[in-house]
Amino acid sequence: MEIAPKLENLLRNYTGHLAPILDHDLNTPDVTRLDFTAANAQLLETDLRDTAAFEVFVNQMLAEKNATVGVGGYFENRVIYRRSEHFDGSQQARTLHLGVDIWAPALIPIYTPLAGKVHSFQDNNNFGDYGPTIILEHELEGITFYTLYGHLSRTSLDGLFVGKELAAGERVAFMGPYPENGDWPPHLHFQLMTDMLGKTGDFPGVCSLAEETAFRKICLDPNLLLRCKLLA
């Protein structure tokens, strides 16, 4: 069996301890889904290159739904990447989001749902990129896989080293403020991968429509670990 379906089945039926990724429960009424596709007409009227204006817009979306945390984005075809040349491919722009975003206040702690060790980390400091990024390596029943935490605070990288072990529920990082988080409104990009493709400290978080089939085999639904009912 290929790794992806085997891991997906393992995580879907996993009954061991999965620690929450935030102190905030993602299944409370003040958590809502946020839409960053072309279907959101208000988004098309927002100056996305102005990060302060973008943050105001995100907070307005949350307020309209009486929410304090926003979630969503797995394989969502987004328009927000037009803000940065980083996502413009030579043939086709990258618009499909490969992880789940959790929009919440800057500087709150972020935890690992499962025990693991640091695979790699770096500050991807292009405008619109991940900013400080940490990738953990995990193993369950002989299967190795990876989780990526992007848009972190720079202090999150202090004291890290490759191979550092973390227990389930141990703090990985802090939510980054802009501009140090890649210049985005504060949020966590959380991604689940079966293969690092030889990369360290970075991994595509967005792909083009032409790449969708290939990346669906590598980037599994992060909600297998988050267990957020809104994303089920």
Side-chain angles (χ1 to χ4, degrees):
M1 180 183 283
E2 293 182 0
I3 291 178
K6 187 175 180 180
L7 178 60
E8 183 176 19
N9 184 64
L10 176 61
L11 293 177
R12 194 176 300 281
N13 296 294
Y14 185 68
T15 57
H17 176 58
L18 283 176
I21 199 165
L22 302 181
D23 288 322
H24 196 108
D25 186 347
L26 296 182
N27 289 305
T28 53
D30 64 336
V31 177
T32 190
R33 292 196 66 152
L34 295 183
D35 178 6
F36 291 100
T37 71
N40 187 339
Q42 290 179 303
L43 183 64
L44 301 178
E45 300 171 359
T46 302
D47 181 2
L48 299 176
R49 289 193 62 85
D50 182 338
T51 307
F54 192 180
E55 182 180 31
V56 168
F57 177 74
V58 170
N59 289 335
Q60 286 175 340
M61 286 196 294
L62 291 171
E64 287 171 0
K65 298 183 179 183
N66 295 315
T68 55
V69 174
V71 295
Y74 180 60
F75 272 95
E76 183 176 72
N77 191 358
R78 292 177 160 183
V79 298
I80 57 177
Y81 301 115
R82 69 175 189 261
R83 72 193 296 260
S84 171
E85 296 177 358
H86 181 66
F87 299 99
D88 289 335
S90 58
Q91 295 181 332
Q92 188 176 24
R94 295 186 293 147
T95 59
L96 288 177
H97 190 248
L98 303 178
V100 163
D101 283 341
I102 302 175
W103 304 81
L107 304 180
I108 63 172
I110 297 164
Y111 308 95
T112 175
L114 286 170
K117 62 182 180 181
V118 175
H119 171 274
S120 52
F121 57 94
Q122 69 183 30
D123 189 353
N124 298 291
N125 62 357
N126 299 304
F127 175 75
D129 205 339
Y130 286 132
T133 308
I134 298 173
I135 298 169
L136 301 185
E137 179 179 323
H138 310 271
E139 188 272 332
L140 275 179
E141 297 188 12
I143 300 177
T144 299
F145 58 100
Y146 309 87
T147 51
L148 182 150
Y149 306 76
H151 309 301
L152 309 176
S153 70
R154 287 207 177 104
T155 59
S156 299
L157 305 185
D158 293 345
L160 280 190
F161 56 89
V162 172
K164 180 179 180 179
E165 295 187 357
L166 293 93
E170 189 168 348
R171 191 185 71 226
V172 177
F174 294 96
M175 192 85 74
Y178 68 87
E180 67 185 68
N181 68 350
D183 221 324
W184 289 90
H187 72 288
L188 170 68
H189 175 96
F190 181 63
Q191 192 163 314
L192 169 61
M193 299 92 69
T194 61
D195 191 334
M196 282 299 298
L197 302 178
K199 300 180 182 298
T200 59
D202 193 13
F203 193 90
V206 186
C207 74
S208 69
L209 294 174
E211 298 171 312
E212 179 175 0
T213 299
F215 274 102
R216 279 193 181 273
K217 295 178 181 178
I218 298 171
C219 300
L220 301 186
D221 187 351
N223 202 44
L224 291 165
L225 295 172
L226 297 175
R227 304 285 176 91
C228 175
K229 294 176 183 177
L230 286 175
L231 301 177

